[in-house]
Amino acid sequence: MVCPITFVELGPAFYGDDIAAEAFLLQANLDIAEPWLQTDTVEAHRLWNVHQVRRRQSKFPKRPVADVMIAAFALRFQGIVTRNAADFRNIAPSLTLIEP
């Protein structure tokens, strides 16, 4: 499963060629058609607030809102494969993290 936000982040790696990106992900047997739901938006809203409160208290570094949105999407599926596990651990501590 690829979060729609992650697909956007892959744009530069494929020089903006969405067809090439989709072909690559499908070849890797990754689903790219899972829609963003209202529940993802509500979860992202909650996570962004928690993150901003912690950041203002100097407990966490600044993170892009895209990471919060990706974490919210991943919570629906109870996990994420990521190379920056520490960032997601800070955003959503209950999220199952798999580091390749």
Side-chain angles (χ1 to χ4, degrees), residues 20-87:
E22 286 180 18
F24 171 81
L25 294 169
L26 290 173
Q27 185 177 10
N29 202 30
L30 294 170
D31 181 6
I32 58 168
E34 186 64 37
W36 181 270
L37 301 178
Q38 176 63 20
T39 56
D40 301 323
T41 301
V42 170
E43 186 65 32
H45 178 86
R46 185 190 67 76
L47 288 174
W48 187 244
N49 174 65
V50 169
H51 177 73
Q52 290 300 318
V53 168
R54 290 176 179 163
R55 190 177 73 73
R56 288 182 192 122
Q57 296 170 348
S58 300
K59 293 183 179 180
F60 293 104
K62 186 176 181 180
R63 292 298 317 147
V65 71
D67 285 356
V68 172
M69 294 175 76
I70 292 166
F73 186 84
L75 281 168
R76 180 163 36 121
F77 301 96
Q78 293 130 9
I80 187 171
V81 177
T82 180
R83 293 186 302 166
N84 59 336
D87 295 338

Side-chain angles (χ1 to χ4, degrees), residues 74-75 78-81 92-98:
L75 281 168
Q78 293 130 9
I80 187 171
V81 177
S94 66
L95 186 59
T96 299
L97 303 165
I98 300 169

